[in-house]
Amino acid sequence: MSAEYHVTGSVAVITLANPPVNGLGLATRTAAVDGIKKALADEAVKAIVITGAGKAFSGGADIKEFNSPKALAEPSLHTLIRTVEDATKPVVAAIHSVCMGGGLELALGCNYRVAAPGAQMALPEVKLGLLPGAGGTQRLPRVLGLEMALNMIVSGTPVASEKLANTALFDEVTAPGADLMDAAIAFANKVADARPLPKVRERKVDYPNHEAFLQFSRNTVKAMSGPFPAPLQCVETVAASVTMKFEDGLKFERERFMQLIQSNESKALRHAFFAERVASKVPDVAADTPTRAINQAAVIGAGTMGGGIAMNFVNAGIPVILLETKQEALDKGLATIRKNYENTLKKGKLTQEKFDQRLALISGTLSYHDIGQADIVVEAVFEEMGVKEAVFKKLDEVMKPGAILASNTSTLDLNQIANFTKRPQDVVGTHFFSPANVMKLLEIVRGAATGKDVLATTLALSKKLKKTGVVSGVCDGFIGNRMIEQYSRQAGFLLEEGCLPEQVDKALEKFGFAMGPFRMGDLAGNDIGWYIRKRRYVESPGITYSKTADLLCELGRFGQKTGAGWYDYKAGDRKAYASDIVNAMIVKHSADSGVERRKISDQEIVERLVYSLVNEAARILEEGIALRASDIDMVYLTGYGFPLYRGGPMFYADTVGLPNVLSAMEKYAKGRHGDAWTPAPLLVKLAAEGKTFNG
């Protein structure tokens, strides 16, 4: 049953019951319509109350039915709302906890609305690249007024019911602690004989000089929404509530909704929404797998990465001990953390009380014995196997039984690291992204021996740390860095063939990346890539790289931290300025290599960099390193600045069409370094079968 029906005195109560948030799926809509018809047919019933079971009135559409025939099957949400609106007996919405999307649209279709304080009211469809499609853009302005309704719809941000208490949205907001259902039933009895029944659709939106306000809104929203079409379409549909008759406005809203639902931007946002939710599901790790308690953490290394990781634990209320080998390094690390929190305090994003609480949760030590009772220890030391070995052998000695031993390695073999201990089942990779206290991605590396409870605990911990946890198998570079290596190789080849760093970066940034490969290298530190390449030259002698990056590092140009990288930097200024020295070095290297430089289009730059990601990702997927194509997309959306409105590299390839991706790759295979374009077997197979990565 997706809606329960019972009668109290002369009031019929229909309770939406589709946990966890009473999503308005087909079964729920059907049961609600049946309940209204039953109440209308019962002469003893004088009024109807609609509410939600558990912790929500209704969160809106049932996401389990997205992109399925059930989402549009009758009775549709429009039909349910029209059934409520046309009822010949008063219908009262009893709103509590969560009332969003279609749930709020349903409440707006009722004659009256009684709310508990603290109920979160929102029309968040814009966050999925859509607009409210069941009358929300037409009814909300009629009860809140044009300006407030427009702000809610364009932002999608929830507003607490008590803040809307004096608007026509609510007929009553109960006192704190009062019983909502008692209040709603009492209100229904009070209005049982009221006629004519009030309808939101019959109200007018009164806003003097609305043309000027709407034009101002269009200009503002256009400037802020960038490549996303939905916010501006929200403005246009809300404008229709003022300029059109209700039925015409409803029709206009539906047309715009259908346009948006077909747009690549909305498809990308919906893909990311579901991809984030499915990333935490591992097929062979059951949802009820027991997890280990994490009440105390330790971090090895107080550098930039270790300090950032420690802040994640502190922000989540978990005490952390930071371990260093030298007092000077420890003091510097703790001072940096304090400074970061002081900056947040100055910006008003942290209260003095929270500031004091967070600093109280962090302590430092030079002794391994002080961290032995921690539930999890994260190693964030230099990326070199000998250094990791020394750390993990020591952790094996001092950590209590059942402690999780985590490595922040970004490329090294986790299985080898686990075998430095006598408890490989307790070892897991937790690859944080820099800056660790800001970046959302946490690559969780599952070793051959990693226990299922350890994996389940780490996934649960990632949520507590407000990270998007994505599981990867063991390989050199895991998901993200293994792919970025091919991307960086192509960027280097483009320099040899005719580009300069600025052109490559601008092309990628125009495509939508947060920053191009050379600005990203300068931010991360070019010496990191240099170290990895030196290891590759020994381990994989057949692999080719452009020598430009090595020449850059030989000049000591490691990026922002040295004030010079691919670009020049001025003291106290992070802006990248084109470097005559670097550009001359690149041109000379082409000549020394016997390469005739040519004009390269932005399209070629984007295709070569993005399709190199896609091709390597197809191999990663085929090898089972990533569980799903959508997991790879989440890694790139949350860790590498891939444009959200393009949905990630795999989703983007699906959008372009895999045969078109292959065709472009075949063209580039005829150029220099054609061996880099050997297509992954999975890509060839899916293209031939007319399938997609995210099918």
Side-chain angles (χ1 to χ4, degrees):
M1 176 64 77
S2 294
E4 296 155 4
Y5 181 94
H6 74 273
V7 176
T8 300
S10 60
V11 177
V13 177
I14 297 165
T15 306
L16 308 172
N18 179 15
V21 293
N22 302 321
L24 295 168
L26 179 59
T28 308
R29 298 194 303 268
T30 303
V33 168
D34 290 346
I36 290 158
K37 288 177 178 174
K38 187 175 178 180
L40 294 177
D42 185 346
E43 286 184 13
V45 169
K46 302 298 180 193
I48 302 163
V49 169
I50 298 177
T51 192
K55 295 180 179 178
F57 173 78
S58 171
D62 190 335
I63 63 169
K64 295 190 287 288
E65 291 185 5
F66 262 47
N67 307 326
S68 79
K70 282 185 175 181
L72 300 172
E74 288 293 343
S76 66
L77 181 55
H78 277 274
T79 301
L80 168 59
I81 292 168
R82 189 55 63 92
T83 304
V84 168
E85 202 170 44
D86 290 346
T88 51
K89 297 173 183 178
V91 183
V92 180
I95 297 164
H96 64 92
S97 313
V98 174
C99 180
M100 295 187 183
L104 178 50
E105 289 176 305
L106 171 61
L108 288 164
C110 297
N111 306 113
Y112 305 96
R113 285 157 298 282
V114 175
Q120 295 297 300
M121 315 297 296
L123 290 173
E125 288 82 353
V126 72
K127 293 180 180 179
L128 295 180
L130 298 170
L131 53 81
T137 65
Q138 302 309 294
R139 290 188 180 91
L140 195 66
R142 285 172 158 81
V143 293
L144 290 187
L146 182 63
E147 198 167 335
M148 191 184 287
L150 186 69
N151 286 340
M152 273 184 73
I153 291 168
V154 168
S155 71
T157 306
V159 179
S161 51
E162 57 268 33
K163 290 188 177 173
L164 304 170
N166 297 322
T167 69
L169 176 58
F170 298 125
D171 297 277
E172 189 179 303
V173 174
T174 63
D179 186 281
L180 174 67
M181 287 312 296
D182 287 350
I185 288 166
F187 187 90
N189 280 317
K190 189 171 76 176
V191 298
D193 298 321
R195 298 293 185 277
L197 293 171
K199 294 181 183 181
V200 169
R201 63 186 294 156
E202 289 169 358
R203 298 175 71 99
K204 290 275 183 286
V205 184
D206 185 24
Y207 196 94
N209 200 14
H210 62 265
E211 294 95 341
F213 170 72
L214 288 167
Q215 194 51 50
F216 168 77
S217 300
R218 285 184 188 100
N219 296 343
T220 307
V221 169
K222 190 175 183 182
M224 292 175 68
S225 57
F228 295 100
L232 202 54
Q233 294 286 22
C234 286
V235 177
E236 297 305 338
T237 47
V238 169
S241 70
V242 193
T243 59
M244 296 183 186
K245 290 179 179 171
F246 180 82
E247 283 299 338
D248 294 337
L250 216 54
K251 189 179 170 203
F252 182 74
E253 176 193 83
R254 193 71 192 156
E255 286 167 1
R256 294 295 170 108
F257 177 85
M258 294 312 291
Q259 279 174 23
L260 285 173
I261 209 165
Q262 295 305 322
S263 71
N264 285 335
E265 292 83 1
S266 176
K267 287 175 183 174
L269 286 172
R270 292 184 336 251
H271 169 69
F273 177 82
F274 288 110
E276 186 165 10
R277 278 147 187 77
V278 82
S280 60
K281 294 175 172 59
V282 180
D284 67 326
V285 179
D288 59 357
T289 301
T291 56
R292 302 184 188 184
I294 304 290
N295 299 316
Q296 171 75 56
V299 176
I300 314 292
T304 306
M305 185 55 87
I309 293 169
M311 287 177 73
N312 282 302
F313 285 109
V314 169
N315 294 347
I318 300 169
V320 65
I321 304 169
L322 202 53
L323 184 144
E324 256 298 350
T325 52
K326 293 195 174 90
Q327 188 67 46
E328 187 187 0
L330 181 60
D331 291 344
K332 188 181 174 188
L334 290 170
T336 302
I337 291 169
R338 185 182 185 93
K339 191 179 175 190
N340 285 340
Y341 282 130
E342 281 171 351
N343 289 340
T344 314
L345 181 68
K346 278 177 198 164
K347 288 174 188 168
K349 293 179 180 175
L350 198 65
T351 62
Q352 184 66 48
E353 186 187 6
K354 277 266 162 65
F355 173 83
D356 295 337
Q357 281 172 0
R358 287 184 184 181
L359 285 182
L361 287 173
I362 193 156
S363 58
T365 184
L366 301 178
S367 168
Y368 272 90
H369 292 285
D370 291 343
I371 66 167
Q373 292 306 305
D375 301 302
I376 185 169
V377 54
V378 182
E379 159 278 306
V381 299
F382 188 66
E383 187 73 345
E384 200 272 316
M385 193 57 92
V387 181
K388 306 280 188 195
E389 180 176 2
V391 169
F392 273 83
K393 283 183 171 172
K394 191 69 184 167
L395 292 177
D396 197 30
E397 274 177 42
V398 302
M399 299 309 294
K400 68 180 182 182
I404 293 174
L405 314 184
S407 173
N408 181 55
T409 179
S410 54
T411 54
L412 299 178
D413 184 343
L414 188 82
N415 292 329
Q416 193 180 340
I417 292 171
N419 287 333
F420 295 141
T421 76
K422 297 183 191 73
R423 39 171 131 179
Q425 73 281 0
D426 293 337
V427 177
V428 68
T430 51
H431 179 207
F432 288 82
F433 284 69
S434 188
N437 52 310
V438 176
M439 295 297 282
K440 208 176 167 197
L441 176 63
L442 178 62
E443 231 178 2
I444 299 170
V445 186
R446 182 183 194 177
T450 303
K452 290 183 181 180
D453 62 333
V454 170
L455 193 62
T457 303
T458 311
L459 278 161
L461 178 64
S462 72
K463 286 183 181 169
K464 191 166 184 182
L465 300 183
K466 297 193 169 139
K467 301 286 181 194
T468 300
V470 179
V471 176
S472 170
V474 176
C475 68
D476 200 330
F478 316 123
I479 295 170
N481 282 345
R482 177 170 158 185
M483 287 165 63
I484 210 76
E485 184 170 2
Q486 300 309 319
Y487 171 93
S488 300
R489 280 179 79 207
Q490 286 301 320
F493 296 153
L494 284 163
L495 294 185
E496 287 184 354
E497 293 168 38
C499 290
L500 293 173
E502 206 171 8
Q503 186 196 352
V504 176
D505 283 350
K506 280 185 174 168
L508 267 289
E509 287 158 19
K510 193 176 171 188
F511 175 78
F513 269 87
M515 58 176 65
F518 299 108
R519 286 214 300 134
M520 185 178 78
D522 278 358
L523 180 66
N526 296 311
D527 50 330
I528 297 168
W530 194 26
Y531 179 79
I532 292 168
R533 284 192 303 281
K534 285 176 182 173
R535 182 161 64 83
R536 290 279 192 278
Y537 294 143
V538 175
E539 294 172 3
S540 314
I543 196 163
T544 52
Y545 295 94
S546 164
K547 284 283 187 281
T548 47
D550 293 351
L551 293 170
L552 183 83
C553 290
E554 284 165 17
L555 293 172
R557 298 181 68 102
F558 296 151
Q560 285 186 18
K561 62 188 173 188
T562 56
W566 293 106
Y567 298 93
D568 292 332
Y569 298 90
K570 295 175 183 174
D573 179 4
R574 290 192 170 186
K575 191 180 172 194
Y577 296 90
S579 168
D580 293 340
I581 294 170
V582 172
N583 291 350
M585 178 200 81
I586 290 166
V587 172
K588 182 178 182 298
H589 175 65
S590 298
D592 292 347
S593 308
V595 180
E596 190 179 335
R597 294 177 69 80
R598 63 184 173 89
K599 189 173 169 59
I600 297 175
S601 70
D602 285 1
Q603 182 183 346
E604 179 178 339
I605 293 169
V606 169
E607 286 184 351
R608 282 174 63 174
L609 267 69
V610 174
Y611 295 169
S612 66
L613 289 177
V614 170
N615 196 37
E616 194 62 27
R619 290 195 173 92
I620 286 169
L621 198 55
E622 197 165 24
E623 292 167 22
I625 299 297
L627 292 169
R628 294 164 280 259
S630 63
D631 285 358
I632 295 169
D633 286 335
M634 282 320 296
V635 166
Y636 268 76
L637 290 172
T638 57
Y640 291 86
F642 199 95
L644 179 59
Y645 65 94
R646 298 194 191 274
M650 308 305 263
F651 183 85
Y652 177 70
D654 290 343
T655 306
V656 170
L658 301 191
N660 295 330
V661 173
L662 260 184
S663 167
M665 285 171 56
E666 283 161 7
K667 180 176 70 183
Y668 299 130
K670 291 170 186 162
R672 266 175 66 81
H673 304 294
D675 58 324
W677 291 108
T678 305
L682 179 63
L683 175 55
V684 175
K685 179 175 178 282
L686 292 175
E689 292 171 356
K691 292 181 179 173
T692 61
F693 288 121
N694 284 292

